Amino acid sequence: MRILIIGSGGREHALAWKIAQSPRVTKLFCAPGNAGIAELAETVPIPAMEIDQLAAFASTQKIDLTIVGPEGPLCAGIVDVFHSQGLRIFGPNKRAAQLEGSKVFSKKILLKYNVPTAAAAIFNNADDARVHLRKVGAPVVVKADGLAAGKGVIVASSVAEAEQAITEIMERKIFGAAGAQVILEQCLHGEELSVMALVHGQSLRILASAQDHKRALDGDRGPNTGGMGAYSPTPLLDDRLNAQVAGIFSQTLDGLQAEGIEYRGVLYAGLMITERGPQVLEFNCRFGDPETQVVLPRMDFDLVDAMEAAIDGGLDRLPLEWKSDAAVCVVMAAGGYPGAYERDQPIVGLKDAAALDKVCVFHGGTRRNASGQIVTDGGRVLGVTALGGNIEKAAQRAYEAVQRIHFDGAQFRRDIAARAIRT
């Protein structure tokens, strides 16, 4: 098979790494890719949002399967475009991708079909949102409706902080059109859990669980980020909770079906495990980042086979085996991230880190400069992932690898997976 992966981050590097192991793959491309992906696939200088160019490339190169990494192209309708041209692609169509592309759409589906989630109110006017805010008080969660690169959710501990968020999103338009509507949502308390499932209509297979660390600083302090690390599996899940999570997926898919929407691809649920059971915080229509970097290394099956079953059906007949090892990923970010940060910092020690047993260094924001040296080219630069007999051993090995890598301004959390180790 000739396969094209779309995207340029750590998630896409992990996908390329896993897919390259399939005996079915004869040629692997990635558009646009990064310095790490270039060691596994032929990189193609087409941005992920240039959908027509990507379709033309897939047609010309006789690509057998295209796999979409980031949410942007999915929400923009890349699957619909590819289908219209007879091209095979993994991911939900534009209507289904609204689950991530519009938090308002997602919340309405959850509430309409009684999927466990926080109480919420939706506004398209800042003054109305402020009036409601003063009634409900704080803490409260303020969400921009559209895609905002993972930064459109503000957990406000005070009314003043929430009012500022409403002003920034709806009046100052810091997220552009994504802020045309906002959701004011009840603040849930508990532990967050990430669960991904392969889906074909009403059929689904839940993948290994993971927990990530959203906050920039140790102790879950500092601003929200795209994710500073993750681990798999989580000790949170037991048989009862597994059944509840499966029920949430089934209820959501039933709701989509009732709306005339068939979902195919991977569906990612961000859940809060509360005293009342799991509650949906958000849905994403693609593999999580950095959760993918800990789930894929634990897979003991061919991901290409699994993706084709999500496209064509047959997920229930697919054997999904998992390695007994745990996995921990520590993200090394550029100094200043998630705010302004510098690029083009030389990275040293990558080969030394990757030489460690059961270690994979996934590139998130890297490129090769004119001299051929790998340099930083993004906020989350690397995802250093290690396997181990348990979470503690995997974390020790990941941090040993991190210590071998250096670039100016590098920052990383030193407590990834600590809460799982304490459990």
Side-chain angles (χ1 to χ4, degrees), residues 16 23 37 113 131 159 176-177 198 233 301 307 309 328:
I37 295 172
Y113 294 100
V131 169
V159 170
L198 294 170
F301 56 90
M307 288 179 164
V328 171

Side-chain angles (χ1 to χ4, degrees), residues 9-16 69-71 286-289 292-293 363:
R11 165 187 48 223
E12 289 75 35
H13 191 180
L15 285 167
E71 64 275 13
R286 35 71 190 183
F287 285 100
D289 186 348
T292 300
Q293 289 90 300
H363 293 221

Side-chain angles (χ1 to χ4, degrees), residues 13-26:
H13 191 180
L15 285 167
W17 172 84
K18 182 64 180 175
I19 288 165
Q21 297 169 25
S22 172
R24 300 180 61 193
V25 177
T26 56

Side-chain angles (χ1 to χ4, degrees), residues 291-420:
E291 292 90 345
T292 300
Q293 289 90 300
V294 291
V295 171
L296 266 57
R298 297 189 60 230
M299 283 182 176
D300 211 8
F301 56 90
D302 192 321
L303 183 56
V304 175
D305 290 344
M307 288 179 164
E308 291 216 297
I311 296 170
D312 299 326
L315 281 173
D316 55 332
R317 299 187 300 273
L318 195 71
L320 300 187
E321 302 292 334
W322 298 91
K323 296 175 183 175
S324 59
D325 277 350
V328 171
C329 174
V330 179
V331 170
M332 299 184 72
Y337 175 81
Y341 54 83
E342 290 187 0
R343 300 175 187 262
D344 300 319
Q345 301 299 319
I347 306 171
V348 297
L350 290 169
K351 289 184 179 178
D352 288 344
L356 287 168
D357 186 39
K358 296 185 177 181
V359 167
C360 300
V361 181
F362 296 119
H363 293 221
T366 68
R367 67 177 183 86
R368 285 194 183 272
N369 64 15
S371 303
Q373 186 171 22
I374 295 177
V375 298
T376 64
D377 193 39
R380 291 186 294 167
V381 179
L382 302 168
V384 182
T385 298
L387 293 170
N390 55 38
I391 293 284
E392 185 172 12
K393 291 177 180 177
Q396 289 171 350
R397 186 170 287 150
Y399 278 107
E400 183 182 352
V402 165
Q403 295 301 328
R404 298 187 177 198
I405 300 170
H406 175 78
F407 55 89
D408 285 350
Q411 61 166 326
F412 57 91
R413 283 184 55 161
R414 289 165 172 78
D415 64 346
I416 300 300
R419 60 190 174 213

Side-chain angles (χ1 to χ4, degrees), residues 238-303:
D238 55 23
D239 289 343
R240 183 177 63 87
L241 195 53
N242 271 319
Q244 291 175 320
V245 170
I248 282 173
F249 275 97
S250 293
Q251 278 180 266
T252 304
L253 294 173
D254 288 346
L256 291 177
Q257 184 84 357
E259 299 291 324
I261 298 171
E262 183 173 85
Y263 197 103
R264 296 186 187 185
V266 66
L267 182 59
Y268 162 130
L271 305 170
M272 182 71 80
I273 309 304
T274 72
E275 292 180 349
R276 294 184 293 129
Q279 307 271 315
V280 177
L281 296 173
E282 64 178 359
F283 274 116
N284 293 324
C285 59
R286 35 71 190 183
F287 285 100
D289 186 348
E291 292 90 345
T292 300
Q293 289 90 300
V294 291
V295 171
L296 266 57
R298 297 189 60 230
M299 283 182 176
D300 211 8
F301 56 90
D302 192 321
L303 183 56

